[in-house]
Amino acid sequence: MKKVLYVPLDDRPVNLDDVIVQGRAAGIHVITPNAEDVKNRLDTEATSTGSTLVDTYAPVFGNTAKLRQFILNHMSSVDGFIISTDMLAYGGLIGSRRFRSNGGGAYPDYDPATTELLDVIREIKQSCPHKPVYVLDTIMRLATTVFVEGLTQSAYDEARAFAQQPRLAVSDFEAILEGYDTKPDGTNFGIPIHFDKEQYYNARRHKFKSNYYILDQLLHAGCIDFLAIGVDDSYTQGVQANEIAFLEGYVNEHLGGSDGQNPDRVIILPDADGLGYSLMGRMASHLHRCGSKPRYSVKYFGPDGSTIINPYEYMSVHENIQHHVDMIGGRFVTSGPYDVEIVAITSASQAADGVSHVEANDMNHMPTIVIDFVGGGAADETVTQALLNSKSTGGLLGYSGWNTAGNKIGLALGMAHSRYTFLITENRPPSLAAAVNAHGSLLFKRFLKDYYYKKLTIAEVRTYSRAHALFTNVPYADQNMRLFNTPEDYEALEKLLRDRMQTNTQTLAEKDAFLMGTSRSIRQIKRSGWNYSKYASAALDYENPDFIWNRAFEITLGPGVTLH
């Protein structure tokens, strides 16, 4: 079994647990740092006066020194590397957004402590020149992080609206750093109420210097084989626009790119939490030596993706799909034969037609991915029920209905690509058996989380948490339940979660999509035909679901599915 060293964006399940299972579904053993070294948490302490919250503090970030050493310790024993520079250099995604008193020195020597951490990537390539090194980086999002170092929901809302405002267009690196506060007419913005804009700009300056360093000093120098740059929670205009344009221009001028992209070296697109999935897909393709790039086509059921731009993104759904296909190591085609089809459901009214198409693909042995673009941050009711009422859904290579369009695309395509490259290359029965169980578990988990938790159970959690809030000036207690609910109420919330998810697991297992002894998953793809395994059991440990970041937004969720 191939081994891949993986330093995740943070320890949320979408970035860590899921990618480990995804690797297992593709015959890859994913080596990760000690859990404490990638641990991220929102503020863990609070001060209050009576029923009024005064402040929150003491968040938790990853241990960058230990992460650097982890990489060095395992460098010689793995077959490839997937490394988040946000975790390596800042201790995670939320750490990369921390407000700063200054933005660092002059580039490229802007912060020796940060560049020393990033330069471990250079050491990898020098010591292991033939091993693939894939890196995921992010352009800092518009908004602040709620309840990290005291920043509130009001600060988040104000910062996002503030950062969405257009800035004076400039192309010079130094001019971008100095122009964050300049309107198109040359005047400056006013003073925000809920956050310090200079500290916010300094955080952007430091992060943008790191973005440039990774592209210029590491990728351009040949130390990175592929770089995925995700633009975290963005917009069609605003403070990120000059940053994106500069990096795309660099790709065109120095890295052989076109329109800011080079499918063989670097892709820039709206996503963050789907990057780990996507790069694991690309890694599986490389390690399994599947030959030419698999061809992907998309069919929309509802409005064409070229007409849709997610509120948190800056490019259309169609463009985002195309660039994600490049990121995972596939080839997007608009005509002629293709190897995998993406069924993109963009209207609930066409969900039934979309599922009929999935069933036809199943009969015709066409590997299929489904992405539910109808629901906002969760799977849509109509789309989900249509899918779950079909036995063909259990045989999907990839699926997602969670969060932004970019997240959905990254999760579904990455999951499918790693699985597909394994299915067409692996022949050993024990490996095929272990991998089909892992894939079945991940596909089952996506529905269990994206719909049963994010659409249904989370509403109960939020209602209870907010009704039992400790503080009258905190409207959304579920954003940090350890601080904003009593220990007794937190325990009640955990019990609510675990009871509901037990019921949800049983309900999902009884749907046609995962019906035991009837529904099936692809076990192997051979030129002579497909082999299948049937779903045999599904279970969830009672204590497994947990509020990993002490908030309702995400949960630990690890169902185990077996197939025979």
Side-chain angles (χ1 to χ4, degrees):
M1 180 178 279
K2 298 291 186 181
K3 298 178 182 178
V4 172
L5 182 149
Y6 177 53
V7 176
L9 185 62
D10 55 37
D11 64 340
R12 287 173 296 148
V14 68
N15 293 316
L16 182 56
D17 300 355
D18 290 3
V19 179
I20 294 172
V21 179
Q22 178 197 357
R24 201 177 300 140
I28 293 172
H29 179 42
V30 182
I31 310 296
T32 57
N34 182 289
E36 286 298 310
D37 296 336
V38 294
K39 183 177 180 179
N40 278 202
R41 295 293 181 271
L42 307 178
D43 288 342
T44 59
E45 302 287 344
T47 57
S48 61
T49 301
S51 61
T52 301
L53 178 70
V54 175
D55 194 17
T56 62
Y57 58 97
V60 178
F61 306 109
N63 189 319
T64 56
K66 288 187 176 180
L67 292 171
R68 182 181 184 278
Q69 192 58 48
F70 163 79
I71 294 170
L72 295 174
N73 290 347
H74 290 83
M75 192 161 55
S76 63
S77 62
V78 299
D79 301 292
F81 305 81
I82 301 174
I83 297 172
S84 162
T85 48
D86 289 273
M87 177 59 76
L88 175 61
Y90 296 96
L93 185 61
I94 60 173
S96 71
R97 308 172 188 150
R98 297 179 73 184
F99 281 15
R100 292 174 171 270
S101 58
N102 66 77
Y107 179 85
D109 302 315
Y110 63 100
D111 185 343
T114 298
T115 55
E116 182 183 7
L117 289 164
L118 292 172
D119 281 345
V120 74
I121 297 169
R122 194 188 311 276
E123 294 183 53
I124 295 171
K125 209 60 186 172
Q126 290 171 345
S127 299
C128 311
H130 302 298
K131 294 182 180 181
V133 178
Y134 298 163
V135 168
L136 54 135
D137 188 31
T138 65
I139 293 176
M140 183 176 154
R141 78 177 188 182
L142 300 177
T144 57
T145 308
V146 181
F147 297 120
V148 169
E149 298 182 322
L151 292 166
T152 63
Q153 179 68 44
S154 296
Y156 172 96
D157 294 337
E158 185 180 28
R160 180 164 172 77
F162 178 81
Q164 285 178 339
Q165 301 307 307
R167 267 60 180 176
L168 179 67
V170 292
S171 58
D172 176 75
F173 181 69
E174 292 297 330
I176 294 171
L177 296 175
E178 297 306 317
Y180 287 130
D181 200 48
T182 308
K183 297 179 181 180
D185 64 4
T187 62
N188 291 336
F189 288 89
I191 299 174
I193 298 170
H194 299 288
F195 71 98
D196 185 316
K197 71 174 182 180
E198 278 308 310
Q199 291 188 2
Y200 169 83
Y201 289 149
N202 285 334
R204 294 209 74 88
R205 291 181 180 109
H206 195 279
K207 188 64 173 70
F208 187 48
K209 290 172 187 177
S210 291
N211 295 142
Y212 188 24
Y213 189 90
I214 293 160
L215 197 66
D216 179 50
Q217 300 292 314
L218 297 176
L219 179 65
H220 190 220
C223 305
I224 296 171
D225 292 293
F226 186 81
L227 174 62
I229 302 178
V231 185
D232 193 14
D233 291 356
S234 57
Y235 194 57
T236 52
Q237 62 182 24
V239 74
Q240 292 171 329
N242 286 330
E243 297 171 337
I244 295 168
F246 177 85
L247 297 179
E248 288 179 340
Y250 187 95
V251 171
N252 290 342
E253 186 174 351
H254 300 285
L255 296 169
S258 176
D259 294 326
Q261 315 285 350
N262 182 337
D264 296 320
R265 301 194 69 181
V266 54
I267 293 292
I268 306 171
L269 48 66
D271 193 5
D273 291 332
L275 298 181
Y277 268 76
S278 294
L279 290 188
M280 187 58 70
R282 191 180 186 98
M283 182 63 71
S285 183
H286 177 88
L287 294 180
H288 292 315
R289 304 183 187 281
C290 72
S292 60
K293 293 181 177 181
R295 297 161 297 182
Y296 287 78
S297 179
V298 63
K299 184 173 180 64
Y300 293 101
F301 289 85
D304 190 277
S306 63
T307 68
I308 303 169
I309 299 179
N310 184 274
Y312 288 87
E313 296 176 356
Y314 66 95
M315 67 171 58
S316 74
V317 162
H318 190 72
E319 287 178 287
N320 211 346
I321 289 175
Q322 290 178 304
H323 292 322
H324 268 95
V325 168
D326 288 335
M327 183 178 286
I328 62 177
R331 181 160 62 93
F332 188 83
V333 298
T334 56
S335 61
Y338 49 87
D339 303 297
V340 182
E341 185 170 44
I342 303 162
V343 173
I345 302 177
T346 57
S347 172
S349 66
Q350 294 194 33
D353 291 340
V355 173
S356 294
H357 190 75
V358 170
E359 292 171 341
N361 279 355
D362 185 16
M363 290 182 63
N364 295 324
H365 287 181
M366 171 55 64
T368 303
I369 301 163
V370 171
I371 307 176
D372 173 4
F373 288 107
V374 179
D380 176 74
E381 168 81 23
T382 302
V383 174
T384 303
Q385 293 304 330
L387 286 167
L388 293 182
N389 287 333
S390 172
K391 293 182 176 64
S392 295
T393 297
L396 293 175
L397 292 192
Y399 160 80
S400 182
W402 178 76
N403 220 34
T404 67
N407 295 155
K408 296 178 186 193
I409 298 165
L411 302 188
L413 267 63
M415 172 184 179
H417 193 71
S418 55
R419 182 68 178 151
Y420 178 76
T421 59
F422 176 82
L423 289 172
I424 64 174
T425 58
E426 183 58 59
N427 295 302
R428 294 166 294 180
S431 297
L432 292 168
V436 76
N437 287 338
H439 180 73
S441 297
L442 186 57
L443 182 63
F444 189 92
K445 185 253 175 86
R446 288 255 58 88
F447 281 95
L448 189 60
K449 178 191 174 184
D450 296 4
Y451 176 70
Y452 284 96
Y453 179 69
K454 293 294 290 186
K455 186 70 173 181
L456 303 179
T457 301
I458 194 172
E460 291 187 82
V461 170
R462 284 173 167 163
T463 298
Y464 185 99
S465 175
R466 294 173 189 182
H468 295 79
L470 284 172
F471 308 114
T472 56
N473 61 331
V474 176
Y476 309 121
D478 55 283
Q479 291 178 324
N480 200 327
M481 296 180 293
R482 284 279 190 193
L483 294 185
F484 304 149
N485 293 114
T486 66
E488 293 77 16
D489 283 327
Y490 190 85
E491 185 177 339
L493 285 160
E494 284 188 316
K495 185 177 187 304
L496 170 64
L497 170 69
R498 290 166 178 169
D499 287 347
R500 293 295 185 273
M501 296 315 292
Q502 285 295 310
T503 301
N504 292 338
T505 299
Q506 183 64 35
T507 300
L508 180 57
E510 293 172 355
K511 294 290 187 179
D512 287 343
F514 298 103
L515 194 61
M516 304 302 143
T518 303
S519 184
R520 61 188 187 176
S521 179
I522 305 166
R523 183 185 184 92
Q524 185 182 17
I525 295 177
K526 299 190 293 186
R527 292 190 178 185
S528 58
W530 289 11
N531 294 332
Y532 297 91
S533 292
K534 289 185 177 180
Y535 286 88
S537 67
L540 179 69
D541 288 345
Y542 182 78
E543 294 187 353
N544 172 266
D546 200 6
F547 302 110
I548 182 171
W549 275 21
N550 302 320
R551 63 181 184 178
F553 187 78
E554 65 267 305
I555 57 170
T556 298
L557 190 63
V561 173
T562 57
L563 298 94
H564 298 309

